[in-house]
């Protein structure tokens, strides 16, 4: 199978920047699209951005122009560069992998807190 581990969360002031990383291990050749999702207290988990093996990307409207998703297939890593952060971006951020088998894999999540 595939395992995902996120890193890079933390506390940042509004207007600041932060980077997240996701490292994949296991049968990584099975990984098709990867993505970042986030969940705030009392809210449903929502899409942040996705990226295919060929680097086609999709962004949520709320983060477009501020966040950049990238992927290194050789290193089995995915990154999310976040800038112009606001308190509304405070959430647990989850790495996701969509396998060619149709299975969805999730990381354990990493907390991002933006102070005003």
């Amino acid at each position: 199978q595939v395992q995902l581990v996120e890193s890079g969360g933390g506390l940042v002031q509004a207007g600041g920047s932060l980077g997240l990383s996701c490292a994949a291990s296991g049968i990584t050749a099975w990984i098709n699209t990867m993505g970042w999702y986030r969940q705030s207290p009392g809210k449903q988990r929502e899409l942040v951005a996705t990226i295919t093996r060929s680097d086609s990307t999709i962004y949520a409207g709320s983060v477009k122009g501020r966040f950049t998703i990238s992927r290194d297939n050789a290193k089995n890593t995915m990154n999310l560069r976040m800038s112009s952060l606001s308190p509304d971006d405070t959430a647990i951020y989850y790495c996701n992998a969509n396998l060619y088998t149709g299975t969805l894999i999730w990381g354990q999540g990493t907390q991002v807190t933006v102070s005003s």
Side-chain angles (χ1 to χ4, degrees), residues 38 62-63 66-67 83-91 93 112 114:
R38 66 187 182 186
S62 60
V63 307
R66 300 187 299 121
F67 290 13
S83 60
S84 301
L85 286 162
S86 78
D88 289 341
D89 296 312
T90 294
Y93 283 70
V112 172
V114 184

Side-chain angles (χ1 to χ4, degrees), residues 61-111:
S62 60
V63 307
K64 205 167 188 178
R66 300 187 299 121
F67 290 13
T68 301
I69 190 171
S70 62
R71 179 174 175 175
D72 187 330
N73 293 322
K75 296 181 179 179
N76 298 312
T77 57
M78 177 180 63
N79 296 303
L80 184 70
R81 182 64 183 172
M82 305 181 290
S83 60
S84 301
L85 286 162
S86 78
D88 289 341
D89 296 312
T90 294
I92 298 175
Y93 283 70
Y94 296 92
C95 172
N96 164 273
N98 189 341
L99 307 186
Y100 287 111
T101 60
T103 302
L104 294 179
I105 304 295
W106 294 93
Q108 81 286 356
T110 185
Q111 177 71 47

